[in-house]
Amino acid sequence: MQDNLDLIALAYDSFLSMFPLCHWYWTKYTDHIIRLSDAHKAVKVYERAVDSTPFSTGLWVDYCCFGMCFYEDPSDV
């Protein structure tokens, strides 16, 4: 399963290095990470995403929705 995760990460990282404004692909990337690994790695991908596209409202909404489900303490969100 780690091989699949590594291949998926390589594909998304390559694509998003050229097209960082494609917020849909950042979200799909985190969906794969959550499904194949753990949510802590997805947080790192979301942080990279919002650093790359800080003005993407859709990406921030996705990140906030994820944060509300992931973090137990509301102050962490």
Side-chain angles (χ1 to χ4, degrees), residues 2-64:
Q2 183 62 32
D3 292 337
N4 290 342
L5 182 59
D6 292 340
L7 287 173
I8 289 170
L10 179 64
Y12 276 107
D13 287 338
S14 297
F15 178 81
L16 291 167
S17 69
M18 293 185 293
F19 304 102
L21 299 179
C22 294
H23 115 267
W24 175 254
Y25 288 95
W26 286 108
T27 303
K28 297 305 280 180
Y29 186 10
T30 57
D31 290 344
H32 284 294
I33 297 292
I34 292 167
R35 188 170 43 84
L36 296 174
S37 184
D38 64 10
H40 295 286
K41 290 182 181 179
V43 169
K44 293 178 183 178
V45 173
Y46 268 124
E47 288 175 358
R48 282 182 36 219
V50 295
D51 282 342
S52 297
T53 57
F55 301 111
S56 174
T57 307
L59 187 58
W60 277 104
V61 168
D62 292 342
Y63 187 23
C64 290

